[in-house]
Amino acid sequence: MRRWGDLSQDADDRLTAGSVLDHAEMAVVVTDRFSNVLYWNPFAERLFGRVGANPGRESLRTLGISEHDHPLAADLAKQVLRGGVWEGTFDVVRGDGTLIYVRAQAVPLRHPSGSITGIVITAREAMRSNEREKDRFGLLERIGERLAGSLYVEETLNRVAESLVPQFADHCFIELAEGDRLVRKVSTHVNGWTPPPGSWPPVGAEISYPLGHFADTALRRQETIMVEDFSQVSYPAPSEGEARLWGEIGVTSAIVAPLCVRGETLGLMYLILSNLTNRHSPHYDTFDRDFVGAIATRVALAVDNALLFEEERHTAESFQKHLLPRVLPSFDGLEIAHRYFPAAPLATHGQGIQTQVGGDWYDVIPLSAGRVGIVIGDVEGRGAKAAAVMGQLRAALRAFAQDDKPPADILARLDEWTRVVASPEHDDFGADITNPPIVTCQYMVYDAWSRQLWFANAGHAPPLLLVDGEVRDLEITEVGQPLGVRAKGMHADLVYKEETRILPAGATLLLYTDGLVDRRPPRDAAAGSYDDDETMTVLREKLAKSSAESVERIADLATGAVPGEIDDDMAILVVRAAGTELQSQERTFPAQPIMVSEARRMASEAFEAWQVPEERAELACLLVSEVVTNVVLHAASAGVPRRELVLDGPPLPFDESWDVPGFEEEMAGDKEFTLRLRRGGESVWVEVFDQDLRLPRIRSAGENDEGGRGLYLVDQLARRWGSRPTREGKAVWFEIPIGGR
């Protein structure tokens, strides 16, 4: 006689471990010691979205566990294989691309002998069991981690939607306030479903909820509102299309939570359940409402941080953008490309906006007679302070460069200025402990007609020179100290030395800051990282293959040549010397009045040969006459340097020893000037060199004065003019545009 509850023989035969696990509403996964999957039950196939896959070809990591949770999977294996029990929550990307949270427990699989031969994992979708209280804290923690990983509004909002759909909702809307408007920023739906046109407003649309709508109530009361069952209540619909769609998809329940932070309402988070999915319970309850309210608090804080960050980033980038030249002018004999990239934010390092701006800068400065000043520099540190120092130094260098002094003199003056801009600091005893900013800088002057390059270096990395497919460092013999670190008592003229090189036709220079080569290691650990020599080797090899490309292409290739993420802001300047010779003429004349007409004739013939328009040529010749006349007149009236004479015989009285008949006339007659003419694409430049050290200046001539108007005419009629000291004296120059003023 069988007792009640005893199994029949047929039932007992079917009561195997496999048959029980086939009916279990919980995922069961068995792996070996190397995390290779040996078995999973049907529920596990459905949970991980691997229906029909062969478990023998899967590993624990390939079950869809998100990449950032791979270390968690490794910890699981280590702990269980040591005999422990592991419990935690994974982010899992299913086979259809949806994201779910999986709560798992892992225990050792033991051989009858007692040795551990593998791992047994039981898992279920979080918030889908009766242990919701335990899941609540785990899921909140996971959502908080995902939100903390971004400082960008759009990315933050998308992460919120990925966290909640389909895990907790079939539809998720997030709307943010923009002034008096409410604008939809996110519209995410289960299984890739898309609302038909004319139903739910799309992303970017302005949203308006009618009075009495539960979303309107949530906004006004600033509290989370839940509609447990729409079959029991009714609310006014925002539009007829939306009301019709609700009936078609069978909306069952909804929760709306305001996004409030620091007393302000940033917007709404709107979650909906519908009949598009088959859930254990198609309705929200009070537990779900409280849970969504807790999520909304974290979302509001993350969105507020992202909004503040984007506002500061926009301010910082605008600040940086206006400190650097946005568009460089064109120059004869040079092709130029430039790039600037701020460093990506280090959100996980707590530096925030500090990493967005820095002190890297570049500049290209028009100088006299078509020459060009080329600058690359880097102020130590990051943030607005470094950018502000950079802006002052760039402005100062541009002003110093207009004097046309040698590069070494410019760096010496800039070094002094670096000490001036430092904020004064004093110790407890009142002693000055001011620390000037540390700045590296390379300043060059290039003359496209002679192909000469003059430069001085203040601790900056040498430019790369690309010639005929070869890439090497530009040879720099004298590398001075960075600006701001010169030892006391040592004058800057002793620190910075000028050097000269001739650039071959078609040669390219790549000037860069250290952000180009100092990169964060690649995320792929297998790729490893490069030391300084390896980094430069990689950069040179990639540039060598593209040396014949355009300067814009070279700038782009250089930007991405070194593996890894940008760790510091980066400035790049690529300049290429023209492959053709530019037109110029030069001749030296005695400093005599009769030579004024000869100089004018030379200019007229040159302008005619260069096909300069007649009107422009006549104007240029007029100004040549004025400048040359000014040089000749001052040469005739210049004081003669006093020289000591050694004569045979008794010494002469002091006054007589300096009064040698004919000496002054002889010295004046030896004076000469040089006229140099240059033709560019849009202008002609005229330079007049002489041995007089006095720089010219415009004088106010009276009504009856016979002279004093020459430089005034030059100032009024030339596009630009100026003078600069030379080793032998000075040069006066002016520029006349070929087409128009």
Side-chain angles (χ1 to χ4, degrees), residues 173-190:
F173 302 107
I174 300 179
E175 292 138 11
L176 296 183
E178 295 183 359
D180 297 332
R181 304 188 311 152
L182 196 63
V183 178
R184 180 156 291 173
K185 297 296 184 179
V186 170
S187 178
T188 302
H189 310 277
V190 71

Side-chain angles (χ1 to χ4, degrees), residues 403-423:
D403 290 342
D404 271 323
K405 294 289 184 66
D409 293 352
I410 298 296
L411 288 187
R413 295 187 64 185
L414 198 63
D415 177 72
E416 296 293 342
W417 182 254
T418 303
R419 300 168 187 276
V420 171
V421 300
S423 301

Side-chain angles (χ1 to χ4, degrees), residues 284-475:
Y284 290 124
D285 57 20
T286 55
F287 182 91
D288 297 325
R289 180 195 61 196
D290 296 341
F291 178 65
V292 172
I295 292 177
T297 300
R298 287 162 171 77
V299 171
L301 184 60
V303 171
D304 187 53
N305 288 338
L307 289 171
L308 290 174
F309 172 76
E310 290 200 353
E311 182 179 353
E312 291 183 2
R313 183 189 62 177
H314 176 72
T315 301
E317 289 183 349
S318 299
F319 181 43
Q320 186 89 42
K321 184 188 301 180
H322 289 86
L323 288 176
L324 294 173
R326 302 181 63 181
V327 179
L328 296 179
S330 59
F331 296 94
D332 290 302
L334 273 184
E335 299 176 45
I336 303 175
H338 57 95
R339 297 288 186 274
Y340 176 80
F341 295 93
L346 296 175
T348 57
H349 290 66
Q351 297 186 35
I353 193 63
Q354 289 292 330
T355 60
Q356 282 293 312
V357 295
D360 291 14
W361 93 93
Y362 60 87
D363 209 349
V364 183
I365 308 169
L367 301 177
S368 63
R371 300 183 311 144
V372 181
I374 303 170
V375 188
I376 193 82
D378 185 0
V379 179
E380 183 185 46
R382 299 177 183 174
K385 180 179 180 180
V389 172
M390 176 271 288
Q392 295 181 74
L393 292 179
R394 176 176 174 250
L397 194 150
R398 287 187 70 91
F400 298 156
Q402 299 308 313
D403 290 342
D404 271 323
K405 294 289 184 66
D409 293 352
I410 298 296
L411 288 187
R413 295 187 64 185
L414 198 63
D415 177 72
E416 296 293 342
W417 182 254
T418 303
R419 300 168 187 276
V420 171
V421 300
S423 301
E425 298 180 18
H426 300 276
D427 60 15
D428 296 338
F429 302 99
D432 186 4
I433 57 171
T434 303
N435 293 315
I438 299 176
V439 184
T440 64
C441 183
Q442 174 93 56
Y443 179 60
M444 300 178 161
V445 175
Y446 179 65
D447 187 337
W449 280 264
S450 65
R451 299 193 184 281
Q452 282 190 301
L453 182 72
W454 299 269
F455 59 87
N457 188 291
H460 201 82
L464 293 178
L465 178 63
L466 288 69
V467 181
D468 298 330
E470 296 183 0
V471 181
R472 62 180 184 273
D473 289 345
L474 179 69
E475 181 184 353

Side-chain angles (χ1 to χ4, degrees), residues 149-331:
S150 173
L151 285 175
Y152 298 93
V153 173
E154 182 178 352
E155 184 178 355
T156 299
L157 297 180
N158 287 329
R159 288 189 176 191
V160 172
E162 290 174 0
S163 302
L164 297 174
V165 177
Q167 182 83 7
F168 196 75
D170 295 332
H171 313 275
C172 175
F173 302 107
I174 300 179
E175 292 138 11
L176 296 183
E178 295 183 359
D180 297 332
R181 304 188 311 152
L182 196 63
V183 178
R184 180 156 291 173
K185 297 296 184 179
V186 170
S187 178
T188 302
H189 310 277
V190 71
N191 297 329
W193 178 83
T194 303
S199 55
W200 276 322
V203 172
E206 183 177 353
I207 306 299
S208 178
Y209 293 106
L211 187 65
H213 192 278
F214 54 92
D216 177 68
T217 303
L219 273 176
R220 287 187 290 103
R221 295 183 182 177
Q222 292 191 357
E223 65 180 44
T224 303
I225 301 296
M226 178 191 68
V227 180
E228 183 175 357
D229 189 351
F230 278 104
S231 65
Q232 305 297 323
V233 294
S234 62
Y235 291 93
S239 67
E240 293 183 5
E242 187 167 336
R244 185 168 54 253
L245 179 64
W246 280 45
E248 293 176 359
I249 65 175
V251 173
T252 58
S253 190
I255 297 177
V256 179
L259 304 178
C260 301
V261 63
R262 292 200 296 268
E264 295 186 8
T265 302
L266 303 180
L268 283 176
M269 184 174 68
Y270 190 167
L271 305 179
I272 296 176
L273 292 177
S274 69
N275 291 331
L276 292 179
T277 57
N278 184 19
R279 298 177 183 270
H280 294 289
S281 174
H283 303 286
Y284 290 124
D285 57 20
T286 55
F287 182 91
D288 297 325
R289 180 195 61 196
D290 296 341
F291 178 65
V292 172
I295 292 177
T297 300
R298 287 162 171 77
V299 171
L301 184 60
V303 171
D304 187 53
N305 288 338
L307 289 171
L308 290 174
F309 172 76
E310 290 200 353
E311 182 179 353
E312 291 183 2
R313 183 189 62 177
H314 176 72
T315 301
E317 289 183 349
S318 299
F319 181 43
Q320 186 89 42
K321 184 188 301 180
H322 289 86
L323 288 176
L324 294 173
R326 302 181 63 181
V327 179
L328 296 179
S330 59
F331 296 94

Side-chain angles (χ1 to χ4, degrees), residues 354-633:
Q354 289 292 330
T355 60
Q356 282 293 312
V357 295
D360 291 14
W361 93 93
Y362 60 87
D363 209 349
V364 183
I365 308 169
L367 301 177
S368 63
R371 300 183 311 144
V372 181
I374 303 170
V375 188
I376 193 82
D378 185 0
V379 179
E380 183 185 46
R382 299 177 183 174
K385 180 179 180 180
V389 172
M390 176 271 288
Q392 295 181 74
L393 292 179
R394 176 176 174 250
L397 194 150
R398 287 187 70 91
F400 298 156
Q402 299 308 313
D403 290 342
D404 271 323
K405 294 289 184 66
D409 293 352
I410 298 296
L411 288 187
R413 295 187 64 185
L414 198 63
D415 177 72
E416 296 293 342
W417 182 254
T418 303
R419 300 168 187 276
V420 171
V421 300
S423 301
E425 298 180 18
H426 300 276
D427 60 15
D428 296 338
F429 302 99
D432 186 4
I433 57 171
T434 303
N435 293 315
I438 299 176
V439 184
T440 64
C441 183
Q442 174 93 56
Y443 179 60
M444 300 178 161
V445 175
Y446 179 65
D447 187 337
W449 280 264
S450 65
R451 299 193 184 281
Q452 282 190 301
L453 182 72
W454 299 269
F455 59 87
N457 188 291
H460 201 82
L464 293 178
L465 178 63
L466 288 69
V467 181
D468 298 330
E470 296 183 0
V471 181
R472 62 180 184 273
D473 289 345
L474 179 69
E475 181 184 353
I476 300 180
T477 305
E478 299 287 345
V479 178
Q481 295 291 332
L483 307 177
V485 299
R486 174 170 49 86
K488 292 184 178 180
M490 179 179 290
H491 195 268
D493 290 343
L494 303 177
V495 178
Y496 306 111
K497 303 296 182 181
E498 180 180 335
E499 301 182 52
T500 305
R501 301 285 184 272
I502 300 296
L503 281 188
T508 303
L509 281 176
L510 171 66
L511 296 87
Y512 61 92
T513 59
D514 55 7
L516 175 65
V517 293
D518 293 342
R519 301 293 182 99
R520 300 180 199 169
R523 293 185 177 180
D524 182 6
S529 59
Y530 296 95
D531 59 26
D532 294 343
D533 292 338
E534 291 172 335
T535 297
M536 294 306 301
T537 299
V538 170
L539 179 60
R540 291 190 185 98
E541 288 177 351
K542 293 188 177 181
L543 290 177
K545 297 177 182 178
S546 61
S547 60
E549 301 278 354
S550 66
V551 291
E552 294 289 343
R553 178 63 176 161
I554 291 176
D556 290 335
L557 291 173
T559 300
V562 180
E565 299 181 43
I566 296 176
D567 191 45
D568 193 4
D569 57 332
M570 174 178 66
I572 295 177
L573 197 60
V574 182
V575 295
R576 173 175 290 165
T580 58
E581 297 293 332
L582 301 180
Q583 296 174 309
S584 67
Q585 288 191 22
E586 183 175 326
R587 181 179 169 187
T588 300
F589 300 89
Q592 300 174 2
I594 195 173
M595 291 295 107
V596 175
S597 60
E598 289 296 322
R600 179 165 181 154
R601 181 181 299 108
M602 171 191 164
S604 177
E605 292 174 352
F607 296 150
E608 182 179 359
W610 293 342
Q611 298 181 346
V612 177
E614 183 178 356
E615 179 183 356
R616 302 282 94 191
E618 289 181 355
L619 175 60
C621 289
L622 170 64
L623 299 187
V624 167
S625 297
E626 295 295 337
V627 174
V628 170
T629 299
N630 190 68
V631 167
V632 171
L633 290 177

